[in-house]
Amino acid sequence: MKFKRFHVPIMGFTQLADGDTGVERLWKRLRDELPRGAGQCVIEPKVWNENFGRLAEFIHRNIEPDGVVNVYAYSWGVGHGARQLCQQLHKRGIQVPQLVACDPVFHSYLRPWRGVFPAVWNGPIVFPQNVWHAQSFIQRQNTPQGTSLKLLNKLGVVDEPTLLNYNHQYIDDAIEFHDLAMHVAAKGAIRDVQKITSEPGTEK
């Protein structure tokens, strides 16, 4: 069996799989609430500096030819993790219809702390041509602070970020972030169910 859609949650800087995080709680909702029989695969939460080439290769082996990947990420999980994953998926011809970002922070190996000083560096974080729609939440209560997103896809859409009243360290727990992620995930899953039931040889 191959999957119609993968869902990939990515944690932020300092977050590891051995501790409870807002991204893990989002993963539990994705795992438990998406409709069954929709050809969905919810990947366990990934650290921000995961080997995303390996993950993209795993997805490539297990995705339908027209399958897609949704990404939900926080902090450096956006500025490094999601960006690296989308680049690796792009190399393999896999589309990313939805990116949901939570206080996305710019990351650079040469200047890793630039994202902590928004007055010095204010983005944008650039995503490749396979990303179609990006939505984000930001905060202005402390540092680091979320920055803007840019899509190289000429038909791609970046929504205006939504400002939330959380400190950066807790914003991945925001119900607004979780609810939006669930909304776009469920909407995509429902479309995938419709594709499955309309394919020749299947019951409608």
Side-chain angles (χ1 to χ4, degrees):
M1 173 185 174
K2 293 192 175 183
F3 296 96
K4 290 285 187 184
R5 187 180 306 257
F6 280 79
H7 302 270
V8 183
I10 306 175
M11 296 182 285
F13 180 59
T14 78
Q15 294 185 329
L16 299 171
D18 58 0
D20 189 29
T21 67
V23 173
E24 181 176 333
R25 284 185 281 280
L26 170 59
W27 166 74
K28 290 176 181 177
R29 285 190 64 184
L30 290 164
R31 179 197 64 190
D32 295 341
E33 296 180 23
L34 288 180
R36 300 185 184 278
Q40 310 293 293
C41 181
V42 180
I43 296 290
E44 67 183 32
K46 297 300 178 182
V47 294
W48 70 272
N49 58 350
E50 182 79 27
N51 186 323
F52 287 103
R54 290 179 181 173
L55 177 58
E57 193 58 32
F58 170 81
I59 292 172
H60 185 246
R61 292 196 307 271
N62 292 282
I63 198 169
E64 293 281 355
D66 61 345
V68 297
V69 178
N70 284 1
V71 180
Y72 319 92
Y74 160 59
S75 186
W76 273 6
V78 186
H80 177 81
R83 186 162 54 89
Q84 291 293 318
L85 176 59
C86 291
Q87 288 172 354
Q88 291 294 332
L89 293 171
H90 182 52
K91 291 179 181 179
R92 294 161 175 82
I94 299 172
Q95 301 299 306
V96 179
Q98 296 286 348
L99 167 65
V100 181
C102 184
D103 220 25
V105 177
F106 175 83
H107 176 269
S108 166
Y109 280 120
L110 296 177
R111 300 177 180 87
W113 298 107
R114 283 179 70 173
V116 179
F117 304 102
V120 177
W121 178 258
N122 196 29
I125 301 168
V126 181
F127 287 85
Q129 292 90 338
N130 61 330
V131 182
W132 290 84
H133 187 197
Q135 301 174 82
S136 64
F137 298 95
I138 59 172
Q139 59 81 32
R140 293 292 180 258
Q141 296 191 167
N142 70 335
T143 58
Q145 294 179 3
T147 190
S148 59
L149 308 177
K150 178 181 178 180
L151 305 184
L152 295 181
N153 185 339
K154 293 182 179 179
L155 298 178
V157 175
V158 179
D159 290 1
E160 284 293 321
T162 300
L163 182 66
L164 298 180
N165 293 320
Y166 295 82
N167 282 1
H168 177 79
Q169 290 77 9
Y170 306 107
I171 196 170
D172 65 317
D173 280 309
I175 190 64
E176 295 90 344
F177 169 48
H178 291 195
D179 283 351
L180 177 61
M182 287 305 307
H183 173 74
V184 301
K187 189 174 181 181
I190 290 169
R191 285 198 299 269
D192 294 339
V193 170
Q194 293 170 344
K195 288 180 183 178
I196 292 170
T197 57
S198 64
E199 289 173 354
T202 60
E203 294 184 1
K204 297 185 178 180

